[in-house]
Amino acid sequence: MVSQDQIQVMKAALPYVPPSGQRFLSVMAKMMELQNTISLFSKPRGEMSICAVENEKVEPLEMLQDIRRFCNGPTQERIDSLINTLVMVQILELSQDNNNT
Protein backbone atom coordinates (compact mmCIF):
# COMPACT_ATOMS: atom_id res chain seq x y z
CA MET A 1 0.00 0.00 0.00
CA VAL A 2 2.89 2.38 0.59
CA SER A 3 5.30 1.21 -2.08
CA GLN A 4 4.38 1.99 -5.66
CA ASP A 5 5.96 0.44 -8.76
CA GLN A 6 8.32 3.39 -9.27
CA ILE A 7 9.64 2.97 -5.73
CA GLN A 8 10.23 -0.74 -6.31
CA VAL A 9 12.09 0.08 -9.55
CA MET A 10 14.29 2.54 -7.66
CA LYS A 11 15.10 -0.10 -5.04
CA ALA A 12 15.86 -2.70 -7.70
CA ALA A 13 18.20 -0.27 -9.46
CA LEU A 14 20.26 0.46 -6.33
CA PRO A 15 23.02 -2.12 -6.99
CA TYR A 16 23.58 -0.66 -10.47
CA VAL A 17 24.03 2.94 -9.29
CA PRO A 18 27.36 4.34 -8.07
CA PRO A 19 27.68 4.39 -4.25
CA SER A 20 27.09 8.13 -4.06
CA GLY A 21 23.78 7.72 -5.90
CA GLN A 22 22.74 4.68 -3.87
CA ARG A 23 22.41 6.74 -0.71
CA PHE A 24 20.32 9.37 -2.50
CA LEU A 25 18.02 6.82 -4.18
CA SER A 26 17.59 4.85 -0.97
CA VAL A 27 16.63 7.93 1.05
CA MET A 28 14.35 9.13 -1.73
CA ALA A 29 12.54 5.76 -1.85
CA LYS A 30 12.03 5.81 1.93
CA MET A 31 10.76 9.40 1.81
CA MET A 32 8.27 8.48 -0.92
CA GLU A 33 7.07 5.52 1.16
CA LEU A 34 6.70 7.80 4.19
CA GLN A 35 4.67 10.27 2.11
CA ASN A 36 2.43 7.44 0.92
CA THR A 37 1.99 6.21 4.51
CA ILE A 38 1.06 9.67 5.76
CA SER A 39 -1.33 10.05 2.85
CA LEU A 40 -3.01 6.73 3.64
CA PHE A 41 -3.63 7.66 7.26
CA SER A 42 -4.87 11.13 6.45
CA LYS A 43 -7.66 9.77 4.23
CA PRO A 44 -11.02 8.62 5.60
CA ARG A 45 -10.88 5.35 7.54
CA GLY A 46 -12.26 3.23 4.72
CA GLU A 47 -9.01 2.34 2.96
CA MET A 48 -7.03 1.38 6.05
CA SER A 49 -9.89 -0.45 7.71
CA ILE A 50 -9.65 -3.05 4.96
CA CYS A 51 -6.42 -4.22 6.62
CA ALA A 52 -7.63 -3.92 10.20
CA VAL A 53 -9.00 -6.70 12.33
CA GLU A 54 -11.75 -5.02 14.32
CA ASN A 55 -14.65 -7.26 15.19
CA GLU A 56 -12.79 -10.54 15.12
CA LYS A 57 -11.02 -12.00 18.10
CA VAL A 58 -7.30 -11.74 17.43
CA GLU A 59 -5.48 -14.99 18.10
CA PRO A 60 -1.95 -14.31 19.40
CA LEU A 61 -0.59 -17.46 17.75
CA GLU A 62 -1.93 -16.47 14.35
CA MET A 63 -0.58 -12.93 14.75
CA LEU A 64 2.89 -14.20 15.70
CA GLN A 65 2.95 -16.59 12.73
CA ASP A 66 2.07 -13.74 10.38
CA ILE A 67 4.72 -11.45 11.87
CA ARG A 68 7.34 -14.23 11.78
CA ARG A 69 7.25 -14.29 7.96
CA PHE A 70 8.79 -10.80 7.92
CA CYS A 71 11.60 -11.52 10.38
CA ASN A 72 14.88 -13.34 10.26
CA GLY A 73 17.78 -14.27 12.48
CA PRO A 74 17.48 -13.71 16.23
CA THR A 75 14.08 -12.03 15.97
CA GLN A 76 12.64 -15.03 14.16
CA GLU A 77 14.13 -17.31 16.82
CA ARG A 78 12.49 -15.26 19.60
CA ILE A 79 9.15 -15.41 17.84
CA ASP A 80 9.58 -19.17 17.39
CA SER A 81 10.15 -19.46 21.15
CA LEU A 82 6.99 -17.45 21.84
CA ILE A 83 5.02 -19.61 19.41
CA ASN A 84 6.30 -22.79 21.05
CA THR A 85 5.43 -21.42 24.49
CA LEU A 86 1.91 -20.52 23.38
CA VAL A 87 1.41 -23.98 21.88
CA MET A 88 2.58 -25.60 25.12
CA VAL A 89 0.17 -23.44 27.14
CA GLN A 90 -2.68 -24.43 24.82
CA ILE A 91 -1.79 -28.11 25.20
CA LEU A 92 -1.72 -27.76 29.00
CA GLU A 93 -5.09 -26.00 28.98
CA LEU A 94 -6.59 -28.75 26.81
CA SER A 95 -5.24 -31.47 29.06
CA GLN A 96 -6.62 -29.70 32.15
CA ASP A 97 -10.02 -29.32 30.46
CA ASN A 98 -10.04 -33.03 29.63
CA ASN A 99 -9.11 -33.95 33.20
CA ASN A 100 -11.90 -31.79 34.61
CA THR A 101 -14.62 -33.40 32.46
Side-chain angles (χ1 to χ4, degrees), residues 56-72:
E56 297 179 30
K57 182 182 175 195
V58 176
E59 294 293 330
L61 189 58
E62 184 179 348
M63 181 186 70
L64 286 171
Q65 289 170 334
D66 285 343
I67 292 171
R68 183 187 182 283
R69 296 181 305 151
F70 300 98
C71 302
N72 52 34

Side-chain angles (χ1 to χ4, degrees), residues 76-90:
Q76 196 174 53
E77 290 172 11
R78 280 187 228 118
I79 290 176
D80 286 340
S81 293
L82 282 170
I83 289 171
N84 289 335
T85 302
L86 280 174
V87 168
M88 292 294 284
V89 167
Q90 288 177 349

Side-chain angles (χ1 to χ4, degrees), residues 9-70:
V9 169
M10 285 174 35
K11 289 178 177 181
L14 279 174
Y16 303 99
V17 176
S20 59
Q22 287 179 352
R23 183 178 309 154
F24 174 77
L25 277 181
S26 181
V27 169
M28 188 170 168
K30 290 297 178 189
M31 290 299 296
M32 291 171 74
E33 287 177 339
L34 178 60
Q35 281 181 318
N36 291 342
T37 302
I38 291 169
S39 171
L40 272 174
F41 282 99
S42 64
K43 292 180 182 176
R45 244 177 83 86
E47 290 184 35
M48 286 306 293
S49 65
I50 292 170
C51 299
V53 178
E54 290 183 17
N55 296 329
E56 297 179 30
K57 182 182 175 195
V58 176
E59 294 293 330
L61 189 58
E62 184 179 348
M63 181 186 70
L64 286 171
Q65 289 170 334
D66 285 343
I67 292 171
R68 183 187 182 283
R69 296 181 305 151
F70 300 98

